[in-house]
Amino acid sequence: MKIYISIVLLLIASSGSWAQQSVDIDKITSFHTFEFRSSPESLPGKLTLDLTISFGVNYYKYDDRDLRALYDNKIFDINLGYRDDLLEYVDFYFQRLNQADFDRMKDELVKQYGDFIVIEAVEPGVEEAVRWEGNIVTIDLYRYGNEAIDLHDRNKTVLAATKPIQ
């Protein structure tokens, strides 16, 4: 009888880890409908050039009526970064999430990508920052307070994914 109970307990304990298997973050090809390495012309929404920096990187503001919320949080802004006309960065901006909503978003990301690491942000005004990091892909979740240097970041939460063009 003890052997049967042990087997059942082992199966129950194992099933929890099967249900929460994460993907290899470096193998992802898209992040919430945005296909990495795609061209600006491939998107259904509206792109507006926001910033051009050296090394062939253009940042755009993105607007799509079908993409208004993520993880049950209203999206404030979406920024996309293209290097040589290939998508490399995706940034979702939200109004500053309270601790419960921030933790809920973290939990959803853990379900998809596994455990995160807490990072020490070098930028002033960051109240909390976590990262999912592969060898190529990184996903960051930041919560800014009122002291952020960039006015656009103040009192915002940012979910950013990067898959550099190699």
Side-chain angles (χ1 to χ4, degrees):
M1 183 67 169
K2 285 183 181 180
I3 190 77
Y4 295 115
I5 293 173
S6 297
I7 290 172
V8 169
L9 290 176
L10 181 61
L11 288 173
I12 291 171
S14 303
S15 66
S17 62
W18 290 335
Q20 202 167 357
Q21 285 184 346
S22 58
V23 300
D24 179 351
I25 197 168
D26 285 328
K27 291 183 180 176
I28 66 171
T29 58
S30 64
F31 189 69
H32 296 286
T33 73
F34 294 100
E35 193 73 31
F36 287 113
R37 294 180 172 78
S38 64
S39 70
E41 296 80 22
S42 67
L43 294 174
K46 178 183 172 191
L47 280 176
T48 305
L49 185 62
D50 186 43
L51 177 66
T52 299
I53 61 174
S54 57
F55 309 112
V57 178
N58 293 319
Y59 289 95
Y60 294 88
K61 298 283 185 192
Y62 180 72
D63 186 27
D64 182 355
R65 294 179 194 265
D66 293 333
L67 186 57
R68 297 289 185 198
L70 195 59
Y71 301 115
D72 295 325
N73 296 293
K74 184 180 177 190
I75 296 171
F76 178 81
D77 220 350
I78 301 172
N79 295 337
L80 304 176
Y82 288 85
R83 180 180 307 278
D84 299 323
D85 285 332
L86 297 174
L87 183 63
E88 184 173 81
Y89 304 103
V90 178
D91 297 336
F92 293 98
Y93 281 79
F94 307 89
Q95 290 295 346
R96 185 179 178 280
L97 300 179
N98 63 36
Q99 191 65 52
D101 289 338
F102 188 85
D103 289 343
R104 189 170 35 82
M105 187 177 290
K106 259 193 316 194
D107 291 344
E108 289 299 320
L109 290 162
V110 165
K111 287 178 189 175
Q112 289 180 277
Y113 304 110
D115 292 331
F116 59 86
I117 58 172
V118 175
I119 56 176
E120 192 67 38
V122 296
E123 192 177 339
V126 174
E127 295 177 345
E128 189 171 359
V130 294
R131 172 174 287 164
W132 290 261
E133 186 172 42
N135 294 316
I136 301 166
V137 175
T138 59
I139 297 172
D140 293 322
L141 181 60
Y142 293 94
R143 192 162 57 131
Y144 289 93
N146 197 33
E147 270 65 67
I149 292 173
D150 187 336
L151 294 176
H152 186 68
D153 292 340
R154 286 190 181 171
N155 296 311
K156 299 286 187 316
T157 298
V158 180
L159 175 60
T162 306
K163 186 170 188 173
I165 306 301
Q166 298 178 337

